[in-house]
Amino acid sequence: MSDAPTILTYEGITPTIDASAFVAPGARVIGDVVIGAESSLWYNVVVRGDGNYIRIGARTNVQDGSVIHISAHTHPTVIGDDVLIGHMAMVHGCTLHDRSFVGFGAVVMDGCVIESDAMLAAGAMLTPGKRIPSGQLWSGRPARYMRDLSPEEMAGNQKGVAAYVVEARKHRKALAEAQPAE
């Protein structure tokens, strides 16, 4: 099994990935991308910074099959620290503040902002230019305000962040052990 994700220089810009970050086999990281400490990009994630930049903070988790992209020349993608992005999400030309949450299969479109401790539910679509205020849960297609999150729900999201940091370390170790001896 290969443990090498694709890290591609594009138009002279090579992604910068902190040494403590986990980038799983099958992941693709392209162009003007910076990934912070202890973040994790899981299997078959695509992070494509061509035509604009992508910044991913520390301890952020991007789960399997998700796509992080930009809107060329108009909207970079900026993702803060301690963010959870669920499986098969599409995050495009937007800003996700620290401790925000994007559910499985959700879509975040150009110019959107998800503030700290806010959540976009699984399968939801946040249409261009929308903003989810801190502490709110939005759901639906198109996404709309559903309710405020409880302090317990916000704390639970942060427990998820810590769990994924640990899980990424386990996967890194398992991949290293799976390599054939030379």
Side-chain angles (χ1 to χ4, degrees):
M1 172 188 286
S2 171
D3 66 348
T6 300
I7 310 298
L8 181 65
T9 299
Y10 180 80
E11 293 191 346
I13 303 173
T14 301
T16 301
I17 302 169
D18 188 273
S20 66
F22 173 68
V23 181
R28 311 290 193 249
V29 184
I30 301 148
D32 194 353
V33 175
V34 176
I35 300 170
E38 297 184 300
S39 285
S40 54
L41 304 180
W42 291 86
Y43 304 92
N44 300 317
V45 163
V46 175
V47 180
R48 187 160 60 100
D50 55 350
N52 217 321
Y53 62 89
I54 296 171
R55 301 295 179 260
I56 298 173
R59 296 169 307 281
T60 286
N61 168 258
V62 182
Q63 295 174 21
D64 310 66
S66 292
V67 175
I68 313 294
H69 195 222
I70 50 80
S71 184
H73 313 296
T74 61
H75 295 95
T77 296
V78 179
I79 301 170
D81 298 336
D82 303 313
V83 175
L84 292 173
I85 299 173
H87 306 281
M88 303 297 290
M90 169 67 73
V91 176
H92 197 277
C94 59
T95 300
L96 308 179
H97 289 195
D98 297 347
R99 301 180 315 280
S100 59
F101 183 105
V102 175
F104 300 155
V107 177
V108 186
M109 298 176 79
D110 292 355
C112 289
V113 175
I114 300 179
E115 294 182 4
S116 297
D117 297 308
M119 177 185 249
L120 181 63
M125 179 185 295
L126 196 61
T127 54
K130 295 289 192 277
R131 181 180 205 96
I132 301 179
S134 182
Q136 290 187 358
L137 168 64
W138 285 37
S139 183
R141 284 185 175 245
R144 291 184 172 84
Y145 170 78
M146 298 301 291
R147 62 178 175 83
D148 289 344
L149 293 167
S150 71
E152 294 79 18
E153 288 170 317
M154 289 184 270
N157 288 343
Q158 290 314 290
K159 287 180 183 175
V161 167
Y164 269 105
V165 168
V166 171
E167 194 64 23
R169 289 180 191 143
K170 290 178 184 178
H171 277 255
R172 183 190 309 269
K173 181 180 179 201
L175 287 163
E177 290 171 353
Q179 296 306 307
E182 293 188 25

